[in-house]
Amino acid sequence: MTPWNKSVFHWQKLNLILQVNLLDANDSVVGEGPSFTNHTHSHSGTLTLTPEDRRRVRFALACVVIPIALLTMLGLFIFWPTTGTLGGSGSTAIASRAEFAPGTEKVIGEISFIGQTDENRQTPVKMKIDGVEVGVHVPYEYVHNGLDVGDRINAIFSPGLIETDTPYIFVDFVRAVPVWILITLYILVVLIVARGKGLAAVLGLGVSLAVVAAFMLPALMAGKSPIMVVIIGAVSMMFTSIYLAHGISIRTTTAILGTLGGLLITGVVAWISIDSINLTGTYGEESVGLYSQLGYLRMDQILLCGMILAGLGALNDVTITQVSTVWELHAANPAARRRKIFRQAMIIGRDHIASTVYTLAFAYVGSALPLLMSATLVDRGFVDFLMIGQVTEEIVRTLVASVGLVLAIPMTTAIATIFAPVAPTTTKENTDE
């Protein structure tokens, strides 16, 4: 038998295995009628697959996932930004601007005095630097929204202001210590509650953030194709987050396929929505400022990237949950029909849909609360309020992520019901899978 004929034979046998498994599972439900497992022509017994058959199923999944992983690595290589002069081929704009004007000096001081604010909203503020008290100019919005005596701040010394009472200008608060304490607390809580899986999940999160910082941001700011960059970056983060947190198995590979489908749906819906609703991605001050400095960027495509990334975390959550649900249902009742397992898993999936949609909506409303409050200052109708560019952008962001999320749940559940019966179902193997 030639290698080609042997390969065709294996694929035909794999297809036959899945078809027979489907027939056996569809004709058997525990508690739905008499069992005829001892009858030679019955299909109500549990299908027993050999380890060799399971290896063939793993091979089939690998034939789908491994090429995607290889293409992702190739994409990282091709689209990886270079360092060099801004404007050069593939050069990134990161760190291309100086933080402060030449001649100025950054210092750290401790607030020692806060006076009374006058009618011009000017507040005398002093800080100590190496025991010496000096004046510092702090904007009104910071003075009345959190500035206290004893706070440590970053400030810049401007030689041009040496003749004034405030030669130092407030930049920001020094907040490294409390932030690191919060990060440490978060990691400890995850490790204590989730233990080994929590550690793996934190590592996956770290790698995903590294992909954003080391690849996506520099590539986008170098003018690389935003669509290709977000696809490569999102798939990279998907592989690392799922496989690091949950291991490599038929179960997690099934979740990978569901997440890929959800990302595809999210991307298509986002693309159509941005184009049809005429969202430009230039409504926020940060977007306008970025475009004024990097005029070669396509801000509408940057907006598309943000929408795809925003849905990735929730997609990982629901796909892993649905796959695990299907696996546990099948382990508890190996003879159940696929249709029954699908219906039972979707009961949980619908609850997950409801709670996750709320999560996405509230997360976006919470992050956009100042924007919403600012927009309500103008006397306009409710519909007109919703059609404001900034507000519409947040609405579309929520709806796009929710559509991808909702459709990913039945899709992932269907894929999982196909592969769950061919995965090991013993206690030890089920834990691993």
Side-chain angles (χ1 to χ4, degrees):
M1 182 179 292
T2 65
W4 170 256
N5 290 335
K6 187 175 181 180
S7 175
V8 172
F9 171 76
H10 285 322
W11 278 101
Q12 289 175 341
K13 186 174 181 181
L14 172 62
N15 185 46
L16 180 61
I17 289 170
L18 292 175
Q19 290 178 5
V20 171
N21 193 19
L22 177 62
L23 289 173
D24 285 357
N26 283 340
D27 289 338
S28 171
V29 180
V30 173
E32 291 192 4
S35 175
F36 302 98
T37 54
N38 293 329
H39 194 279
T40 56
H41 296 287
S42 172
H43 294 289
S44 60
T46 303
L47 180 64
T48 301
L49 293 176
T50 65
E52 180 65 23
D53 294 331
R54 292 194 180 100
R55 281 195 292 270
R56 291 193 178 95
V57 173
R58 292 189 179 97
F59 175 75
L61 288 172
C63 286
V64 176
V65 173
I66 290 179
I68 295 174
L70 293 176
L71 287 174
T72 301
M73 290 188 288
L74 179 62
L76 287 171
F77 176 78
I78 294 175
F79 286 88
W80 196 272
T82 60
T83 56
T85 304
L86 180 61
S89 177
S91 297
T92 178
I94 287 184
S96 61
R97 306 287 192 271
E99 183 178 9
F100 304 114
T104 58
E105 178 185 358
K106 181 179 178 180
V107 298
I108 296 178
E110 181 177 319
I111 299 297
S112 57
F113 171 78
I114 301 176
Q116 295 295 322
T117 303
D118 60 22
E119 65 276 6
N120 296 319
R121 292 191 171 185
Q122 299 298 314
T123 307
V125 178
K126 294 184 178 180
M127 66 177 180
K128 286 185 177 180
I129 303 176
D130 297 329
V132 179
E133 194 171 61
V134 295
V136 56
H137 173 70
V138 182
Y140 173 81
E141 57 269 22
Y142 290 100
V143 173
H144 287 266
N145 289 281
L147 185 69
D148 295 308
V149 173
D151 288 342
R152 301 179 74 235
I153 66 170
N154 289 310
I156 57 173
F157 170 72
S158 178
L161 300 176
I162 193 66
E163 302 296 333
T164 67
D165 295 333
T166 55
Y168 292 87
I169 301 175
F170 172 87
V171 175
D172 206 345
F173 292 93
V174 175
R175 52 174 67 95
V177 173
V179 168
W180 280 110
I181 291 175
L182 183 58
I183 292 173
T184 304
L185 175 63
Y186 164 74
I187 295 175
L188 286 176
V189 169
V190 172
L191 293 180
I192 292 172
V193 176
R195 300 182 182 178
K197 282 207 169 185
L199 175 61
V202 171
L203 291 176
L205 175 61
V207 174
S208 298
L209 294 178
V211 170
V212 174
F215 170 68
M216 292 192 64
L217 290 180
L220 290 172
M221 297 181 71
K224 303 284 188 178
S225 169
I227 307 301
M228 293 303 300
V229 169
V230 74
I231 291 174
I232 296 168
V235 174
S236 301
M237 290 186 283
M238 175 192 67
F239 275 117
T240 56
S241 60
I242 291 180
Y243 279 151
L244 274 177
H246 305 281
I248 300 177
S249 64
I250 295 177
R251 177 188 297 198
T252 52
T253 303
T254 303
I256 288 282
L257 296 180
T259 305
L260 278 173
L263 281 176
L264 178 62
I265 293 171
T266 301
V268 171
V269 175
W271 195 327
I272 295 174
S273 300
I274 290 173
D275 183 63
S276 61
I277 302 176
N278 293 320
L279 296 177
T280 62
T282 56
Y283 295 109
E285 293 182 5
E286 295 83 3
S287 299
V288 174
L290 178 63
Y291 185 68
S292 66
Q293 299 184 68
L294 305 177
Y296 53 83
L297 295 179
R298 286 290 305 273
M299 298 307 297
D300 56 338
Q301 294 185 11
I302 301 297
L303 176 62
L304 172 63
C305 293
M307 290 185 179
I308 294 176
L309 281 183
L312 179 60
L315 279 173
N316 282 348
D317 177 24
V318 298
T319 54
I320 284 292
T321 300
Q322 286 305 110
V323 170
S324 297
T325 300
V326 171
W327 247 251
E328 295 303 326
L329 288 172
H330 173 70
N333 187 2
R337 296 173 182 168
R338 279 187 170 87
R339 186 176 300 174
K340 180 178 181 180
I341 292 179
F342 179 84
R343 287 200 304 265
Q344 291 176 333
M346 280 305 299
I347 293 174
I348 300 173
R350 292 185 186 98
D351 289 338
H352 208 169
I353 287 173
S355 61
T356 309
V357 167
Y358 285 136
T359 301
L360 290 175
F362 291 152
Y364 287 129
V365 169
S367 63
L369 191 57
L371 166 65
L372 297 176
M373 294 174 65
S374 176
T376 57
L377 291 174
V378 179
D379 184 15
R380 55 168 67 92
F382 180 70
V383 175
D384 292 336
F385 168 76
L386 296 180
M387 295 302 108
I388 301 172
Q390 300 98 315
V391 177
T392 303
E393 190 174 287
E394 297 300 326
I395 293 174
V396 171
R397 197 190 308 272
T398 304
L399 295 178
V400 163
S402 299
V403 168
L405 176 74
V406 170
L407 294 181
I409 287 179
M411 179 172 55
T412 304
T413 306
I415 297 173
T417 55
I418 294 174
F419 289 108
V422 300
T425 55
T426 63
T427 302
K428 180 179 183 303
E429 289 174 316
N430 186 60
T431 301
D432 295 338
E433 290 288 24

